[in-house]
Amino acid sequence: MVRYLVTRLGQALIVVVLVTVITFIILHLLPGGVARATLGKEATLEQLAAFDHEMGYDQPWIQQYAMYVQRLLHGDLGYSFQLNQSVTEAIAQRLPKTMVLSLLSTLLAVVVAIPLGVIQAVRRNRWPDYAITSVSLLAYATPIFFLGLMMIILFSQVWPVLPPEAPQGFTLAEVLADPAGLVLPTVTLAIVTIAVYSRYVRSSMVDNLNENYVRTARSKGLSERRVVVLHTLRNGLFPVITLLGMYLPALFSGALVVESLFNFPGMGQLFWQAALKRDFPILLGVTLIISVATVFGALLADLVYAAVDPRVRLRAGAS
């Protein structure tokens, strides 16, 4: 088990190093270089040269990468001249808000998707299975911005019960002070996730319902509810645990659209505005943070999976 944990941690560190290398390369492949992308088209050659010298971009690439990693280890992700603040500070102001929105949507998705997946598996190849599958595929195929627009039209215009705009506030406390404004962004972001998770739960439950331990439990006279809830569901949720960690990039891409649509002051809106303004330090800083979070999310999912699944512990011990 210890060897398995050390191996997975080593793999995660290697991926993080590769992420820093790729981010560094992208930084130097910007049109006209970092100086031109930062100072704009009107900058003179002397200004570009002065910027490169001040930032160390006139040094050899190996030395530049060492300086880049050193800055990262000290929490320095660069400086945004568009926002006139450090990238670290800009992300720190908005990351907690996006984390709350993602957490709420994930919790809602899990709470709804698990029962739907169980119903599909238990009633597979019957009308409940077909109905839920059809709705899930429709939700998955519908662009998230269209879902958000429909939510705004239905619940802010046709039935004006919820505000069309997300909570506005500089701090997380100010955002949480308006829970009604979080409903539409959270539900919009959760709809696609529900469709994905319910399909995974269904597939895993169907596989487990055909296992020998389920037949043994039924032969002992256990009720179908006990067999499904106490035995099959526990093993059927293992793939979902892994999916939670691997779904971070898709969750952030959805948050990018949802935050822009509902004017939510989070990481997604920050990334979108930086893309419009060609604010490359912000773009690369957010990309790096999301990439590292994805790596460690997958690592955490693997560790949890190994802790709850005896089959993984046995394979790890045998190796």
Side-chain angles (χ1 to χ4, degrees):
M1 183 65 179
V2 175
R3 182 180 300 178
Y4 173 81
L5 299 180
V6 173
T7 301
R8 292 296 295 121
L9 182 60
Q11 293 172 348
L13 292 177
I14 292 174
V15 174
V16 170
V17 172
L18 291 176
V19 167
T20 62
V21 172
I22 293 173
T23 307
F24 176 77
I25 293 175
I26 294 176
L27 183 65
H28 286 77
L29 292 179
L30 297 176
V34 182
R36 179 66 69 185
T38 302
L39 300 180
K41 299 180 180 179
E42 304 299 328
T44 64
L45 294 178
E46 291 77 11
Q47 291 173 331
L48 296 178
F51 181 88
D52 286 337
H53 181 72
E54 181 181 355
M55 302 300 295
Y57 292 137
D58 55 351
Q59 302 294 327
W61 278 45
I62 297 299
Q63 186 174 350
Q64 289 187 46
Y65 178 72
M67 295 170 57
Y68 176 71
V69 173
Q70 185 179 11
R71 289 197 299 267
L72 291 180
L73 293 177
H74 287 83
D76 183 6
L77 298 176
Y79 190 85
S80 170
F81 292 92
Q82 298 282 353
L83 299 177
N84 196 27
Q85 66 177 157
S86 67
V87 176
T88 304
E89 182 181 353
I91 292 177
Q93 291 174 356
R94 295 163 176 83
L95 181 59
K97 304 169 190 175
T98 296
M99 290 178 63
V100 169
L101 179 62
S102 300
L103 179 61
L104 291 175
S105 64
T106 301
L107 289 176
L108 177 62
V110 170
V111 169
V112 176
I114 291 177
L116 291 180
V118 172
I119 293 173
Q120 287 180 271
V122 174
R123 302 293 182 180
R124 62 186 179 279
N125 299 328
R126 300 178 187 176
W127 73 264
D129 184 22
Y130 296 143
I132 297 175
T133 298
S134 299
V135 175
S136 298
L137 293 177
L138 180 62
Y140 185 76
T142 304
I144 193 168
F145 72 88
F146 182 78
L147 289 174
L149 288 174
M150 290 298 99
M151 298 290 286
I152 293 174
I153 293 173
L154 289 176
F155 298 104
S156 296
Q157 304 298 324
V158 180
W159 299 293
V161 294
L162 293 171
E165 188 179 48
Q168 302 299 303
F170 186 77
T171 65
L172 179 61
E174 293 174 347
V175 172
L176 294 178
D178 183 16
L182 287 171
V183 174
L184 290 184
T186 300
V187 174
T188 302
L189 189 58
I191 288 177
V192 177
T193 311
I194 291 172
V196 175
Y197 286 2
S198 64
R199 296 301 296 168
Y200 270 87
V201 173
R202 179 196 183 278
S203 177
S204 181
M205 287 288 295
V206 168
D207 291 339
N208 280 275
L209 285 172
N210 295 322
E211 293 290 338
N212 291 329
Y213 74 89
V214 175
R215 299 190 185 97
T216 302
R218 286 170 174 165
S219 66
K220 291 181 179 180
L222 296 180
S223 64
E224 188 66 17
R225 177 175 297 181
R226 288 178 60 87
V227 171
V228 171
V229 176
L230 298 182
H231 297 276
T232 312
L233 181 59
R234 181 179 60 182
N235 294 325
L237 290 181
F238 289 151
V240 180
I241 296 175
T242 304
L243 183 64
L244 287 173
M246 299 297 296
Y247 205 67
L248 280 177
L251 194 62
F252 175 74
S253 64
L256 189 153
V257 178
V258 169
E259 290 183 6
S260 301
L261 182 63
F262 290 95
N263 195 28
F264 186 80
M267 287 266 287
Q269 188 186 61
L270 175 67
F271 190 88
W272 175 253
Q273 292 176 347
L276 295 177
K277 298 177 181 178
R278 295 172 59 86
D279 193 346
F280 293 105
I282 292 290
L283 293 176
L284 294 177
V286 173
T287 301
L288 181 64
I289 293 295
I290 296 301
S291 300
V292 173
T294 302
V295 171
F296 283 99
L299 174 63
L300 180 61
D302 286 343
L303 297 182
V304 174
Y305 191 91
V308 299
D309 191 347
R311 293 171 294 183
V312 177
R313 294 198 296 269
L314 290 175
R315 288 197 299 267
S319 61

